[in-house]
Amino acid sequence: MIKVDNSAEKRVFSNSDKKDVLILKQKIIKKIEEIEKTTKNYDDLSFYENENFSDNISVLKFKKLIDKEINNLLRSKLTSSFKNELRVLKKDLYLLLIADINTIKNYLKVKIDSNSLLIWKEDKKLKSSDFKKYQKKFENLYQKNLSQVSSSFKKPFFTLFENMNVCPYCNRNFINPIYKENSVGGDNKNQSPDIEHFFPKSIYPFLSLSISNLLPSCAFCNKIKSDVDTFKENCLSPYEIKEDDFKFDFILTAEKSKKLKIISKDKTCKNSDILHLESLYNEVHKEYINDIFDDVLKYPKSNRTFLDTFDILTENDYKKIFRNYPNEKDFNKHPLSKMTKDLYTQIKSLTK
């Protein structure tokens, strides 16, 4: 559970590197920044809809596609109440596609409180025909325009996270895409991590292409998280996590670490429970933890002197000694970085 950048620059991507496309992309990023400082009206982005190369920009292309599918739904056989909700949704598309995580969460709260028909709250087997039809449209939009290998936006989506090497949920597994020049035999030429919907698209279909709801993740976390309602369970998205929201705590003895616990600042937050992180770290990384513990305490006298300087170590010194990163902004570069930092901090405290 590590922080991921949710700035405006990381919410817009393009399927072309042509100069004119990149210029338009930067204009849109600046407009989003301006909107978020002033009006909060994301519909101002409609100004760019008729620009040349608008179809090369994620938010503009996705908005056009969703608009079209909602219009198709409105022409189909749906109840009048469901159509009314779709009309309201149609007006909110720019916000849903490009807003930051906090705006999305506030929007969801309003929708949930109003008992929106566009959010699934019951047994999947009991879905109305209206909901199934609408859900299928949004699922197809996601599959065709982002999930499939053939989508022109899939690779650019992952470039938003090019400095993120490990899964933001578990901070354990590498998630780097692979783009091979040639395939060998029958293997796949391209491989990428899963695209994970923080708020499940099975419950919130209208968020299926919302950038602040999308993250690369390892297959393990994607599968184990599955369709849990992360809003209902008060989970924190990696887009909003701060370093002190979660802490690795170690029950230490004179010889080794006996057990790891993950402590949440907000006791009602269920991130660790849903992802089973505590048991995973205890079962899989126990030896790694104890190797570190043993290395530091093997020579107590010299290491006590060393640990006294821990707080004033330079970043480069920390990297050389611990083979990991000390700062929250870099925890996404290497596995177990958050846990390693918390472990050394606790060992330092123990040896005083």
Side-chain angles (χ1 to χ4, degrees):
M1 296 171 292
I2 54 176
K3 183 174 180 61
V4 179
D5 187 357
N6 192 220
S7 63
E9 190 175 358
K10 293 294 185 178
R11 284 183 262 141
V12 182
F13 52 106
S14 62
N15 62 3
S16 169
D17 290 330
K18 289 181 179 178
K19 183 180 178 182
D20 289 338
V21 174
L22 296 179
I23 289 171
L24 177 58
K25 176 183 166 183
Q26 287 306 311
K27 285 181 182 177
I28 291 169
I29 290 169
K30 286 181 180 178
K31 187 62 176 178
I32 294 168
E33 291 171 340
E34 178 190 318
I35 289 168
E36 292 177 342
K37 288 176 183 176
T38 55
T39 64
K40 311 293 183 189
N41 183 9
Y42 292 94
D43 287 346
D44 290 348
L45 291 172
S46 62
F47 174 82
Y48 299 100
E49 286 180 356
N50 296 317
E51 290 267 335
N52 291 331
F53 309 107
S54 62
D55 278 355
N56 296 112
I57 306 297
S58 56
V59 61
L60 299 178
K61 179 64 174 179
F62 294 167
K63 198 268 185 184
K64 181 191 291 187
L65 292 167
I66 297 172
D67 226 9
K68 179 180 177 181
E69 290 305 328
I70 290 179
N71 287 337
N72 289 337
L73 284 167
L74 291 172
R75 287 192 290 267
S76 67
K77 290 184 178 180
L78 298 172
T79 60
S80 59
S81 54
F82 207 92
K83 285 186 176 183
N84 286 338
E85 291 232 30
L86 285 172
R87 289 187 184 99
V88 173
L89 183 71
K90 194 170 184 287
K91 295 176 183 177
D92 296 333
L93 288 181
Y94 274 122
L95 181 152
L96 291 170
L97 284 168
I98 208 66
D100 60 71
I101 184 63
N102 290 319
T103 303
I104 295 295
K105 289 185 85 168
N106 290 335
Y107 184 91
L108 285 186
K109 185 178 187 310
V110 172
K111 283 292 184 187
I112 290 167
D113 289 346
S114 68
N115 204 30
S116 172
L117 297 173
L118 303 180
I119 296 173
W120 188 246
K121 299 170 285 293
E122 307 295 339
D123 189 323
K124 292 178 185 177
K125 295 177 183 177
L126 303 175
K127 288 180 180 176
S128 69
S129 59
D130 285 357
F131 190 93
K132 286 179 181 176
K133 192 180 291 186
Y134 137 79
Q135 182 184 28
K136 186 176 181 181
K137 289 284 187 187
F138 277 84
E139 175 67 31
N140 288 342
L141 281 167
Y142 164 70
Q143 290 291 337
K144 184 177 179 181
N145 297 287
L146 195 56
S147 178
Q148 290 178 1
V149 175
S150 58
S151 166
S152 64
F153 281 102
K154 185 168 189 176
K155 187 174 179 180
F157 168 80
F158 285 113
T159 63
L160 292 175
F161 309 94
E162 59 190 355
N163 293 322
M164 191 166 83
N165 299 325
V166 290
C167 176
Y169 290 108
C170 65
N171 194 214
R172 299 167 58 246
N173 299 317
F174 285 108
I175 56 167
N176 307 86
I178 298 172
Y179 305 107
K180 295 186 289 185
E181 292 183 6
N182 300 293
S183 60
V184 179
D187 70 339
N188 291 323
K189 188 175 178 181
N190 301 320
Q191 289 290 341
S192 62
D194 288 357
I195 299 177
E196 210 281 318
H197 291 76
F198 180 72
F199 300 114
K201 64 183 185 297
S202 59
I203 302 172
Y204 309 98
F206 55 82
L207 293 180
S208 62
L209 282 171
S210 299
I211 186 62
S212 290
N213 191 42
L214 299 170
L215 288 153
S217 81
C218 68
F220 183 89
C221 284
N222 195 11
K223 286 182 175 63
I224 202 166
K225 179 176 163 289
S226 188
D227 291 336
V228 172
D229 189 342
T230 43
F231 189 94
K232 181 181 175 182
E233 297 298 337
N234 193 35
C235 292
L236 284 176
S237 163
Y239 284 128
E240 60 183 326
I241 282 177
K242 299 180 183 64
E243 186 173 2
D244 61 349
D245 283 327
F246 299 97
K247 176 187 173 187
F248 287 91
D249 187 64
F250 306 85
I251 299 173
L252 304 174
T253 69
E255 296 178 355
K256 63 181 181 178
S257 167
K258 291 177 70 176
K259 190 177 181 182
L260 171 152
K261 291 181 71 66
I262 297 176
I263 300 172
S264 172
K265 187 191 229 179
D266 180 351
K267 303 302 179 186
T268 66
C269 181
K270 298 287 184 65
N271 286 53
S272 180
D273 296 339
I274 287 168
L275 293 165
H276 298 273
L277 292 181
E278 202 168 284
S279 57
L280 263 175
Y281 270 82
N282 276 304
E283 291 169 17
V284 179
H285 303 298
K286 184 168 58 178
E287 293 304 317
Y288 173 82
I289 294 167
N290 282 320
D291 283 347
I292 293 177
F293 191 56
D294 185 53
D295 285 345
V296 174
L297 295 185
K298 191 178 291 181
Y299 305 104
K301 207 167 193 179
S302 58
N303 278 313
R304 189 172 290 114
T305 302
F306 162 71
L307 286 167
D308 285 341
T309 68
F310 180 75
D311 290 334
I312 58 172
L313 281 179
T314 67
E315 185 174 338
N316 286 335
D317 286 341
Y318 185 100
K319 287 181 192 174
K320 287 176 185 175
I321 296 163
F322 305 140
R323 299 293 187 268
N324 224 313
Y325 294 85
N327 299 318
E328 180 187 23
K329 66 180 178 65
D330 296 318
F331 285 166
N332 55 26
K333 293 180 179 178
H334 197 275
L336 310 179
S337 50
K338 165 67 173 165
M339 186 202 71
T340 302
K341 175 71 179 293
D342 286 353
L343 176 59
Y344 273 108
T345 300
Q346 190 166 335
I347 291 174
K348 178 181 184 296
S349 174
L350 182 75
T351 57
K352 283 186 176 179

